[in-house]
């Protein structure tokens, strides 16, 4: 005969399995979105025409795992220049160099769909 404790144990087991499957799906969705953003950034970063373009330096780095996983997209060597291109700057000659957005549009385009997919994953759809 099944006891109340057996019933509670079975519910806990099912909840744990559900949580693990959701965690895996969320990590996969995060990785997919980060890859799409990285591809967009690489293809839309302004190129100077010189060897060693900044666009070729962008990488994604995973930090943590599970619900604390974060993916950072950054330029390996020329990261200190990204904000200048993204937001514009005043050149030392006095000429203003206009902003050429390439990172923010990627985030704005891909993030809403990722959030909708995450909501759907959590709801179990």
């Amino acid at each position: 005969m099944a006891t109340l404790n057996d019933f509670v144990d079975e519910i806990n087991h099912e909840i744990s399995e559900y949580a693990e499957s959701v965690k895996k799906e969320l990590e996969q969705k995060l990785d997919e979105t980060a890859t799409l953003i990285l591809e967009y950034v690489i293809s839309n970063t302004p190129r100077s025409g010189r060897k060693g373009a900044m666009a070729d330096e962008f990488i994604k780095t995973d930090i943590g795992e599970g619900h604390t996983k974060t993916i950072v997209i950054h330029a390996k060597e020329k990261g200190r220049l990204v904000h200048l291109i993204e937001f514009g700057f005043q050149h030392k000659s006095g000429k203003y160099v206009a902003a050429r957005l390439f990172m923010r549009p990627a985030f704005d385009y891909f993030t809403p769909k990722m959030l909708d997919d995450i909501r759907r994953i959590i709801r179990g759809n």
Side-chain angles (χ1 to χ4, degrees):
M1 179 172 164
T3 66
L4 184 58
N5 286 338
D6 294 338
F7 182 66
V8 170
D9 289 342
E10 184 62 29
I11 290 175
N12 285 334
H13 176 72
E14 291 296 320
I15 290 172
S16 294
E17 282 185 5
Y18 171 74
E20 281 299 315
S21 69
V22 166
K23 184 172 94 171
K24 288 177 185 174
E25 287 184 62
L26 293 176
E27 283 186 21
Q28 181 181 1
K29 180 51 65 181
L30 183 62
D31 286 336
E32 289 172 9
T33 304
T35 299
L36 291 172
I37 290 173
L38 180 63
E39 290 170 358
Y40 181 95
V41 167
I42 289 171
S43 65
N44 289 295
T45 300
R47 294 183 175 266
S48 64
R50 298 181 189 161
K51 183 178 166 185
M54 183 186 310
D56 299 331
E57 292 195 357
F58 281 97
I59 60 171
K60 66 178 184 172
T61 304
D62 295 355
I63 301 170
E65 61 182 42
H67 70 281
T68 62
K69 183 174 183 175
T70 302
I71 298 179
V72 179
I73 298 173
H74 60 96
K76 290 183 281 191
E77 297 293 324
K78 298 182 181 179
R80 65 189 179 282
L81 302 175
V82 172
H83 69 285
L84 298 174
I85 297 168
E86 184 80 9
F87 299 116
F89 63 97
Q90 181 100 23
H91 192 270
K92 63 183 176 183
S93 68
K95 179 181 173 189
Y96 177 73
V97 179
R100 299 186 332 198
L101 298 172
F102 60 95
M103 290 193 77
R104 188 65 196 196
F107 178 80
D108 289 343
Y109 182 77
F110 293 107
T111 302
K113 182 180 181 331
M114 179 188 70
L115 294 175
D116 288 341
D117 290 343
I118 286 172
R119 285 183 195 98
R120 193 171 61 250
I121 290 168
I122 292 172
R123 288 185 190 130
N125 296 346

Tab-separated table of all heavy atoms in Angstrom, residues 65-120:
chain	number	residue	atom	x	y	z
A	65	GLU	N	27.045	28.120	-15.000
A	65	GLU	CA	26.218	27.088	-15.615
A	65	GLU	C	24.864	27.063	-14.932
A	65	GLU	O	24.668	27.647	-13.871
A	65	GLU	CB	26.895	25.725	-15.537
A	65	GLU	CG	27.164	25.239	-14.141
A	65	GLU	CD	27.888	23.900	-14.143
A	65	GLU	OE1	28.809	23.703	-14.940
A	65	GLU	OE2	27.495	23.059	-13.315
A	66	GLY	N	23.927	26.387	-15.577
A	66	GLY	CA	22.582	26.299	-15.011
A	66	GLY	C	21.873	27.638	-15.042
A	66	GLY	O	22.005	28.403	-15.990
A	67	HIS	N	21.145	27.932	-13.971
A	67	HIS	CA	20.374	29.175	-13.931
A	67	HIS	C	21.258	30.410	-13.752
A	67	HIS	O	20.790	31.536	-13.914
A	67	HIS	CB	19.298	29.109	-12.845
A	67	HIS	CG	19.845	29.139	-11.455
A	67	HIS	ND1	20.381	28.036	-10.856
A	67	HIS	CD2	19.950	30.149	-10.561
A	67	HIS	CE1	20.800	28.362	-9.647
A	67	HIS	NE2	20.545	29.629	-9.435
A	68	THR	N	22.528	30.238	-13.460
A	68	THR	CA	23.438	31.382	-13.321
A	68	THR	C	24.329	31.553	-14.543
A	68	THR	O	25.241	32.374	-14.525
A	68	THR	CB	24.334	31.218	-12.079
A	68	THR	OG1	25.126	30.045	-12.234
A	68	THR	CG2	23.500	31.142	-10.814
A	69	LYS	N	24.084	30.798	-15.608
A	69	LYS	CA	24.927	30.872	-16.803
A	69	LYS	C	24.774	32.218	-17.486
A	69	LYS	O	23.676	32.730	-17.664
A	69	LYS	CB	24.574	29.754	-17.778
A	69	LYS	CG	25.463	29.734	-18.994
A	69	LYS	CD	25.188	28.532	-19.853
A	69	LYS	CE	26.124	28.492	-21.028
A	69	LYS	NZ	25.936	27.269	-21.809
A	70	THR	N	25.905	32.784	-17.854
A	70	THR	CA	25.953	34.045	-18.579
A	70	THR	C	26.873	33.853	-19.768
A	70	THR	O	27.903	33.194	-19.657
A	70	THR	CB	26.520	35.163	-17.678
A	70	THR	OG1	25.703	35.268	-16.510
A	70	THR	CG2	26.551	36.490	-18.394
A	71	ILE	N	26.512	34.409	-20.901
A	71	ILE	CA	27.377	34.373	-22.072
A	71	ILE	C	27.746	35.804	-22.420
A	71	ILE	O	26.867	36.648	-22.613
A	71	ILE	CB	26.705	33.673	-23.262
A	71	ILE	CG1	26.395	32.225	-22.897
A	71	ILE	CG2	27.603	33.740	-24.489
A	71	ILE	CD1	25.711	31.434	-23.974
A	72	VAL	N	29.041	36.062	-22.478
A	72	VAL	CA	29.552	37.396	-22.784
A	72	VAL	C	30.120	37.371	-24.193
A	72	VAL	O	30.908	36.486	-24.538
A	72	VAL	CB	30.648	37.806	-21.778
A	72	VAL	CG1	31.197	39.173	-22.112
A	72	VAL	CG2	30.112	37.768	-20.365
A	73	ILE	N	29.718	38.332	-25.008
A	73	ILE	CA	30.257	38.473	-26.360
A	73	ILE	C	31.164	39.690	-26.346
A	73	ILE	O	30.739	40.790	-25.983
A	73	ILE	CB	29.124	38.613	-27.388
A	73	ILE	CG1	28.284	37.343	-27.371
A	73	ILE	CG2	29.684	38.904	-28.768
A	73	ILE	CD1	27.042	37.395	-28.201
A	74	HIS	N	32.421	39.481	-26.731
A	74	HIS	CA	33.400	40.567	-26.654
A	74	HIS	C	34.498	40.372	-27.689
A	74	HIS	O	34.660	39.296	-28.247
A	74	HIS	CB	34.011	40.618	-25.248
A	74	HIS	CG	34.724	39.372	-24.849
A	74	HIS	ND1	36.079	39.217	-24.984
A	74	HIS	CD2	34.260	38.202	-24.341
A	74	HIS	CE1	36.426	38.008	-24.559
A	74	HIS	NE2	35.332	37.373	-24.168
A	75	ALA	N	35.249	41.451	-27.919
A	75	ALA	CA	36.409	41.393	-28.798
A	75	ALA	C	37.624	41.028	-27.957
A	75	ALA	O	37.829	41.583	-26.884
A	75	ALA	CB	36.624	42.738	-29.492
A	76	LYS	N	38.432	40.096	-28.438
A	76	LYS	CA	39.571	39.601	-27.666
A	76	LYS	C	40.582	40.706	-27.368
A	76	LYS	O	40.920	40.938	-26.219
A	76	LYS	CB	40.273	38.468	-28.417
A	76	LYS	CG	39.484	37.192	-28.488
A	76	LYS	CD	40.265	36.114	-29.182
A	76	LYS	CE	40.175	36.342	-30.678
A	76	LYS	NZ	40.665	35.248	-31.483
A	77	GLU	N	41.097	41.349	-28.386
A	77	GLU	CA	42.180	42.319	-28.208
A	77	GLU	C	41.714	43.770	-28.297
A	77	GLU	O	42.230	44.624	-27.607
A	77	GLU	CB	43.277	42.080	-29.260
A	77	GLU	CG	43.948	40.728	-29.139
A	77	GLU	CD	44.755	40.599	-27.863
A	77	GLU	OE1	45.358	41.594	-27.429
A	77	GLU	OE2	44.765	39.488	-27.298
A	78	LYS	N	40.770	44.046	-29.164
A	78	LYS	CA	40.364	45.435	-29.419
A	78	LYS	C	39.075	45.811	-28.700
A	78	LYS	O	38.375	46.728	-29.109
A	78	LYS	CB	40.229	45.651	-30.919
A	78	LYS	CG	41.543	45.438	-31.654
A	78	LYS	CD	41.402	45.690	-33.116
A	78	LYS	CE	42.740	45.428	-33.806
A	78	LYS	NZ	42.663	45.622	-35.233
A	79	GLY	N	38.776	45.137	-27.625
A	79	GLY	CA	37.553	45.403	-26.884
A	79	GLY	C	37.463	46.817	-26.351
A	79	GLY	O	36.390	47.371	-26.183
A	80	ARG	N	38.602	47.440	-26.108
A	80	ARG	CA	38.609	48.799	-25.570
A	80	ARG	C	38.160	49.837	-26.606
A	80	ARG	O	37.951	51.000	-26.262
A	80	ARG	CB	39.994	49.136	-25.033
A	80	ARG	CG	41.053	49.183	-26.099
A	80	ARG	CD	42.458	49.299	-25.508
A	80	ARG	NE	43.455	49.330	-26.543
A	80	ARG	CZ	43.901	48.285	-27.223
A	80	ARG	NH1	43.412	47.097	-26.966
A	80	ARG	NH2	44.810	48.415	-28.154
A	81	LEU	N	38.015	49.427	-27.869
A	81	LEU	CA	37.599	50.355	-28.925
A	81	LEU	C	36.136	50.200	-29.334
A	81	LEU	O	35.608	51.049	-30.036
A	81	LEU	CB	38.486	50.145	-30.167
A	81	LEU	CG	39.981	50.316	-29.960
A	81	LEU	CD1	40.720	49.949	-31.240
A	81	LEU	CD2	40.311	51.724	-29.539
A	82	VAL	N	35.515	49.125	-28.898
A	82	VAL	CA	34.159	48.811	-29.347
A	82	VAL	C	33.185	49.940	-29.034
A	82	VAL	O	32.388	50.338	-29.879
A	82	VAL	CB	33.675	47.476	-28.739
A	82	VAL	CG1	32.214	47.239	-29.036
A	82	VAL	CG2	34.524	46.333	-29.255
A	83	HIS	N	33.234	50.469	-27.830
A	83	HIS	CA	32.279	51.523	-27.443
A	83	HIS	C	32.464	52.783	-28.296
A	83	HIS	O	31.508	53.511	-28.535
A	83	HIS	CB	32.411	51.851	-25.961
A	83	HIS	CG	33.686	52.530	-25.594
A	83	HIS	ND1	34.880	51.853	-25.527
A	83	HIS	CD2	33.959	53.815	-25.293
A	83	HIS	CE1	35.838	52.705	-25.187
A	83	HIS	NE2	35.305	53.897	-25.045
A	84	LEU	N	33.668	53.050	-28.756
A	84	LEU	CA	33.895	54.230	-29.592
A	84	LEU	C	33.171	54.100	-30.930
A	84	LEU	O	32.554	55.056	-31.398
A	84	LEU	CB	35.394	54.442	-29.826
A	84	LEU	CG	36.221	54.710	-28.579
A	84	LEU	CD1	37.707	54.757	-28.923
A	84	LEU	CD2	35.788	56.007	-27.921
A	85	ILE	N	33.234	52.936	-31.519
A	85	ILE	CA	32.542	52.713	-32.787
A	85	ILE	C	31.035	52.653	-32.564
A	85	ILE	O	30.265	53.226	-33.331
A	85	ILE	CB	33.048	51.420	-33.453
A	85	ILE	CG1	34.533	51.564	-33.793
A	85	ILE	CG2	32.245	51.098	-34.697
A	85	ILE	CD1	35.206	50.283	-34.194
A	86	GLU	N	30.628	52.002	-31.503
A	86	GLU	CA	29.201	51.814	-31.225
A	86	GLU	C	28.503	53.138	-30.907
A	86	GLU	O	27.372	53.368	-31.328
A	86	GLU	CB	29.037	50.836	-30.061
A	86	GLU	CG	27.620	50.477	-29.737
A	86	GLU	CD	27.013	49.426	-30.641
A	86	GLU	OE1	27.720	48.814	-31.452
A	86	GLU	OE2	25.801	49.219	-30.523
A	87	PHE	N	29.162	54.037	-30.169
A	87	PHE	CA	28.519	55.280	-29.733
A	87	PHE	C	29.025	56.531	-30.437
A	87	PHE	O	28.455	57.605	-30.258
A	87	PHE	CB	28.696	55.451	-28.220
A	87	PHE	CG	28.071	54.353	-27.425
A	87	PHE	CD1	28.840	53.519	-26.649
A	87	PHE	CD2	26.707	54.128	-27.466
A	87	PHE	CE1	28.275	52.490	-25.914
A	87	PHE	CE2	26.127	53.111	-26.739
A	87	PHE	CZ	26.913	52.287	-25.965
A	88	GLY	N	30.108	56.432	-31.212
A	88	GLY	CA	30.687	57.602	-31.857
A	88	GLY	C	31.676	58.290	-30.932
A	88	GLY	O	31.687	58.052	-29.726
A	89	PHE	N	32.540	59.113	-31.516
A	89	PHE	CA	33.556	59.783	-30.708
A	89	PHE	C	34.103	60.999	-31.439
A	89	PHE	O	33.886	61.177	-32.637
A	89	PHE	CB	34.708	58.820	-30.361
A	89	PHE	CG	35.479	58.315	-31.558
A	89	PHE	CD1	36.670	58.917	-31.947
A	89	PHE	CD2	35.010	57.240	-32.294
A	89	PHE	CE1	37.371	58.455	-33.043
A	89	PHE	CE2	35.708	56.762	-33.389
A	89	PHE	CZ	36.898	57.373	-33.765
A	90	GLN	N	34.795	61.829	-30.711
A	90	GLN	CA	35.466	62.997	-31.257
A	90	GLN	C	36.920	62.605	-31.507
A	90	GLN	O	37.656	62.260	-30.587
A	90	GLN	CB	35.419	64.150	-30.252
A	90	GLN	CG	36.058	65.414	-30.739
A	90	GLN	CD	35.024	66.400	-31.227
A	90	GLN	OE1	33.882	66.320	-30.828
A	90	GLN	NE2	35.422	67.302	-32.080
A	91	HIS	N	37.348	62.638	-32.775
A	91	HIS	CA	38.718	62.274	-33.136
A	91	HIS	C	39.670	63.333	-32.620
A	91	HIS	O	39.294	64.486	-32.400
A	91	HIS	CB	38.827	62.145	-34.659
A	91	HIS	CG	40.083	61.509	-35.126
A	91	HIS	ND1	41.205	62.222	-35.406
A	91	HIS	CD2	40.383	60.213	-35.348
A	91	HIS	CE1	42.166	61.396	-35.789
A	91	HIS	NE2	41.680	60.165	-35.771
A	92	LYS	N	40.929	62.953	-32.430
A	92	LYS	CA	41.898	63.922	-31.906
A	92	LYS	C	42.112	65.093	-32.852
A	92	LYS	O	42.548	66.156	-32.435
A	92	LYS	CB	43.227	63.234	-31.587
A	92	LYS	CG	43.935	62.630	-32.764
A	92	LYS	CD	45.194	61.918	-32.301
A	92	LYS	CE	45.859	61.216	-33.479
A	92	LYS	NZ	47.030	60.474	-33.065
A	93	SER	N	41.750	64.941	-34.127
A	93	SER	CA	41.852	66.056	-35.083
A	93	SER	C	40.691	67.033	-34.935
A	93	SER	O	40.687	68.089	-35.556
A	93	SER	CB	41.883	65.509	-36.516
A	93	SER	OG	40.631	64.939	-36.853
A	94	GLY	N	39.699	66.664	-34.113
A	94	GLY	CA	38.544	67.526	-33.902
A	94	GLY	C	37.309	67.077	-34.650
A	94	GLY	O	36.210	67.549	-34.395
A	95	LYS	N	37.462	66.183	-35.606
A	95	LYS	CA	36.342	65.704	-36.401
A	95	LYS	C	35.519	64.708	-35.581
A	95	LYS	O	36.062	63.869	-34.873
A	95	LYS	CB	36.870	65.017	-37.659
A	95	LYS	CG	35.798	64.462	-38.546
A	95	LYS	CD	36.404	63.770	-39.750
A	95	LYS	CE	35.310	63.073	-40.530
A	95	LYS	NZ	35.835	62.227	-41.580
A	96	TYR	N	34.199	64.824	-35.679
A	96	TYR	CA	33.317	63.886	-34.988
A	96	TYR	C	33.124	62.656	-35.862
A	96	TYR	O	32.767	62.762	-37.029
A	96	TYR	CB	31.959	64.529	-34.679
A	96	TYR	CG	30.997	63.565	-34.025
A	96	TYR	CD1	31.171	63.169	-32.709
A	96	TYR	CD2	29.935	63.026	-34.735
A	96	TYR	CE1	30.314	62.267	-32.112
A	96	TYR	CE2	29.068	62.123	-34.143
A	96	TYR	CZ	29.269	61.753	-32.832
A	96	TYR	OH	28.426	60.849	-32.243
A	97	VAL	N	33.340	61.500	-35.282
A	97	VAL	CA	33.122	60.235	-35.986
A	97	VAL	C	31.777	59.680	-35.499
A	97	VAL	O	31.617	59.396	-34.313
A	97	VAL	CB	34.268	59.234	-35.708
A	97	VAL	CG1	34.002	57.917	-36.424
A	97	VAL	CG2	35.603	59.824	-36.126
A	98	ALA	N	30.838	59.556	-36.421
A	98	ALA	CA	29.471	59.151	-36.069
A	98	ALA	C	29.418	57.711	-35.577
A	98	ALA	O	30.251	56.875	-35.944
A	98	ALA	CB	28.564	59.311	-37.279
A	99	ALA	N	28.430	57.448	-34.751
A	99	ALA	CA	28.210	56.091	-34.225
A	99	ALA	C	27.818	55.157	-35.360
A	99	ALA	O	27.095	55.538	-36.281
A	99	ALA	CB	27.107	56.130	-33.177
A	100	ARG	N	28.309	53.936	-35.288
A	100	ARG	CA	27.937	52.886	-36.241
A	100	ARG	C	27.548	51.663	-35.414
A	100	ARG	O	28.383	50.861	-35.027
A	100	ARG	CB	29.091	52.592	-37.199
A	100	ARG	CG	29.429	53.841	-37.992
A	100	ARG	CD	30.436	53.722	-39.065
A	100	ARG	NE	31.451	52.697	-38.927
A	100	ARG	CZ	32.580	52.696	-39.610
A	100	ARG	NH1	32.841	53.687	-40.443
A	100	ARG	NH2	33.460	51.730	-39.462
A	101	LEU	N	26.261	51.595	-35.157
A	101	LEU	CA	25.740	50.544	-34.285
A	101	LEU	C	25.881	49.167	-34.920
A	101	LEU	O	25.605	48.993	-36.099
A	101	LEU	CB	24.277	50.806	-33.975
A	101	LEU	CG	23.979	52.105	-33.234
A	101	LEU	CD1	22.488	52.337	-33.151
A	101	LEU	CD2	24.578	52.079	-31.853
A	102	PHE	N	26.339	48.216	-34.132
A	102	PHE	CA	26.421	46.840	-34.590
A	102	PHE	C	26.167	45.843	-33.462
A	102	PHE	O	25.765	44.719	-33.715
A	102	PHE	CB	27.778	46.533	-35.244
A	102	PHE	CG	28.961	46.734	-34.330
A	102	PHE	CD1	29.495	45.682	-33.635
A	102	PHE	CD2	29.521	47.992	-34.179
A	102	PHE	CE1	30.585	45.870	-32.797
A	102	PHE	CE2	30.603	48.182	-33.355
A	102	PHE	CZ	31.139	47.116	-32.654
A	103	MET	N	26.357	46.247	-32.211
A	103	MET	CA	26.100	45.327	-31.101
A	103	MET	C	24.677	45.480	-30.571
A	103	MET	O	23.970	44.496	-30.375
A	103	MET	CB	27.116	45.538	-29.976
A	103	MET	CG	28.496	45.071	-30.375
A	103	MET	SD	29.647	44.941	-29.033
A	103	MET	CE	29.140	43.427	-28.266
A	104	ARG	N	24.250	46.686	-30.332
A	104	ARG	CA	22.917	46.910	-29.772
A	104	ARG	C	21.807	46.395	-30.675
A	104	ARG	O	20.845	45.783	-30.195
A	104	ARG	CB	22.726	48.398	-29.455
A	104	ARG	CG	21.461	48.687	-28.697
A	104	ARG	CD	21.553	48.037	-27.354
A	104	ARG	NE	20.261	47.947	-26.721
A	104	ARG	CZ	20.089	47.707	-25.453
A	104	ARG	NH1	21.120	47.534	-24.655
A	104	ARG	NH2	18.901	47.613	-24.956
A	105	PRO	N	21.886	46.606	-32.011
A	105	PRO	CA	20.828	46.054	-32.869
A	105	PRO	C	20.716	44.536	-32.781
A	105	PRO	O	19.621	43.988	-32.850
A	105	PRO	CB	21.233	46.492	-34.275
A	105	PRO	CG	22.071	47.698	-34.075
A	105	PRO	CD	22.803	47.464	-32.785
A	106	ALA	N	21.843	43.858	-32.616
A	106	ALA	CA	21.811	42.397	-32.479
A	106	ALA	C	21.061	42.012	-31.214
A	106	ALA	O	20.199	41.120	-31.227
A	106	ALA	CB	23.234	41.838	-32.444
A	107	PHE	N	21.368	42.679	-30.117
A	107	PHE	CA	20.685	42.406	-28.846
A	107	PHE	C	19.197	42.707	-28.973
A	107	PHE	O	18.350	41.910	-28.567
A	107	PHE	CB	21.315	43.253	-27.739
A	107	PHE	CG	20.661	43.090	-26.408
A	107	PHE	CD1	20.941	42.003	-25.607
A	107	PHE	CD2	19.750	44.027	-25.955
A	107	PHE	CE1	20.332	41.846	-24.375
A	107	PHE	CE2	19.134	43.887	-24.726
A	107	PHE	CZ	19.426	42.789	-23.936
A	108	ASP	N	18.852	43.854	-29.547
A	108	ASP	CA	17.454	44.250	-29.677
A	108	ASP	C	16.660	43.314	-30.585
A	108	ASP	O	15.463	43.114	-30.385
A	108	ASP	CB	17.349	45.681	-30.215
A	108	ASP	CG	17.786	46.718	-29.203
A	108	ASP	OD1	17.855	46.383	-27.994
A	108	ASP	OD2	18.083	47.858	-29.607
A	109	TYR	N	17.314	42.747	-31.586
A	109	TYR	CA	16.623	41.874	-32.531
A	109	TYR	C	16.412	40.464	-31.974
A	109	TYR	O	15.331	39.898	-32.095
A	109	TYR	CB	17.403	41.809	-33.853
A	109	TYR	CG	16.733	40.975	-34.900
A	109	TYR	CD1	15.639	41.460	-35.611
A	109	TYR	CD2	17.162	39.682	-35.175
A	109	TYR	CE1	15.003	40.687	-36.571
A	109	TYR	CE2	16.539	38.903	-36.125
A	109	TYR	CZ	15.470	39.409	-36.821
A	109	TYR	OH	14.836	38.643	-37.760
A	110	PHE	N	17.441	39.884	-31.366
A	110	PHE	CA	17.384	38.480	-30.969
A	110	PHE	C	16.841	38.238	-29.557
A	110	PHE	O	16.286	37.178	-29.284
A	110	PHE	CB	18.770	37.835	-31.089
A	110	PHE	CG	19.236	37.725	-32.509
A	110	PHE	CD1	20.226	38.548	-32.997
A	110	PHE	CD2	18.673	36.798	-33.359
A	110	PHE	CE1	20.649	38.452	-34.309
A	110	PHE	CE2	19.084	36.691	-34.675
A	110	PHE	CZ	20.084	37.525	-35.155
A	111	THR	N	16.983	39.186	-28.656
A	111	THR	CA	16.584	38.973	-27.268
A	111	THR	C	15.075	38.794	-27.076
A	111	THR	O	14.672	37.887	-26.333
A	111	THR	CB	17.113	40.106	-26.374
A	111	THR	OG1	18.533	40.138	-26.500
A	111	THR	CG2	16.749	39.882	-24.930
A	112	PRO	N	14.206	39.593	-27.691
A	112	PRO	CA	12.769	39.380	-27.469
A	112	PRO	C	12.294	37.975	-27.855
A	112	PRO	O	11.506	37.364	-27.144
A	112	PRO	CB	12.097	40.450	-28.336
A	112	PRO	CG	13.121	41.518	-28.456
A	112	PRO	CD	14.434	40.812	-28.492
A	113	LYS	N	12.798	37.450	-28.973
A	113	LYS	CA	12.412	36.098	-29.378
A	113	LYS	C	12.930	35.077	-28.367
A	113	LYS	O	12.226	34.129	-28.020
A	113	LYS	CB	12.948	35.772	-30.766
A	113	LYS	CG	12.520	34.394	-31.235
A	113	LYS	CD	13.040	34.076	-32.599
A	113	LYS	CE	12.632	32.731	-33.121
A	113	LYS	NZ	12.387	31.664	-32.212
A	114	MET	N	14.152	35.273	-27.875
A	114	MET	CA	14.695	34.361	-26.878
A	114	MET	C	13.830	34.370	-25.618
A	114	MET	O	13.531	33.319	-25.045
A	114	MET	CB	16.133	34.730	-26.521
A	114	MET	CG	16.743	33.819	-25.459
A	114	MET	SD	18.339	34.344	-24.853
A	114	MET	CE	17.913	35.798	-23.909
A	115	LEU	N	13.416	35.542	-25.170
A	115	LEU	CA	12.583	35.639	-23.965
A	115	LEU	C	11.233	34.958	-24.173
A	115	LEU	O	10.724	34.282	-23.271
A	115	LEU	CB	12.410	37.099	-23.556
A	115	LEU	CG	13.685	37.805	-23.094
A	115	LEU	CD1	13.410	39.273	-22.833
A	115	LEU	CD2	14.274	37.130	-21.879
A	116	ASP	N	10.642	35.111	-25.367
A	116	ASP	CA	9.388	34.411	-25.667
A	116	ASP	C	9.597	32.901	-25.654
A	116	ASP	O	8.764	32.149	-25.135
A	116	ASP	CB	8.829	34.845	-27.023
A	116	ASP	CG	8.271	36.252	-27.003
A	116	ASP	OD1	7.978	36.762	-25.896
A	116	ASP	OD2	8.132	36.845	-28.086
A	117	ASP	N	10.713	32.442	-26.228
A	117	ASP	CA	11.014	31.012	-26.226
A	117	ASP	C	11.221	30.495	-24.806
A	117	ASP	O	10.792	29.392	-24.465
A	117	ASP	CB	12.253	30.720	-27.075
A	117	ASP	CG	11.995	30.924	-28.564
A	117	ASP	OD1	10.821	30.973	-28.972
A	117	ASP	OD2	12.991	31.047	-29.317
A	118	ILE	N	11.871	31.282	-23.965
A	118	ILE	CA	12.089	30.888	-22.565
A	118	ILE	C	10.752	30.769	-21.833
A	118	ILE	O	10.528	29.815	-21.090
A	118	ILE	CB	13.037	31.882	-21.863
A	118	ILE	CG1	14.469	31.655	-22.359
A	118	ILE	CG2	12.962	31.737	-20.351
A	118	ILE	CD1	15.461	32.693	-21.877
A	119	ARG	N	9.873	31.727	-22.062
A	119	ARG	CA	8.544	31.640	-21.436
A	119	ARG	C	7.815	30.372	-21.866
A	119	ARG	O	7.192	29.681	-21.057
A	119	ARG	CB	7.709	32.871	-21.801
A	119	ARG	CG	8.115	34.119	-21.078
A	119	ARG	CD	7.188	35.293	-21.422
A	119	ARG	NE	7.784	36.526	-21.004
A	119	ARG	CZ	8.459	37.356	-21.809
A	119	ARG	NH1	8.588	37.078	-23.086
A	119	ARG	NH2	8.985	38.463	-21.344
A	120	ARG	N	7.912	30.061	-23.169
A	120	ARG	CA	7.256	28.868	-23.692
A	120	ARG	C	7.875	27.593	-23.099
A	120	ARG	O	7.164	26.649	-22.756
A	120	ARG	CB	7.355	28.859	-25.227
A	120	ARG	CG	6.452	27.847	-25.875
A	120	ARG	CD	6.389	27.971	-27.384
A	120	ARG	NE	7.701	27.771	-28.000
A	120	ARG	CZ	8.425	28.724	-28.580
A	120	ARG	NH1	7.968	29.948	-28.630
A	120	ARG	NH2	9.596	28.467	-29.108
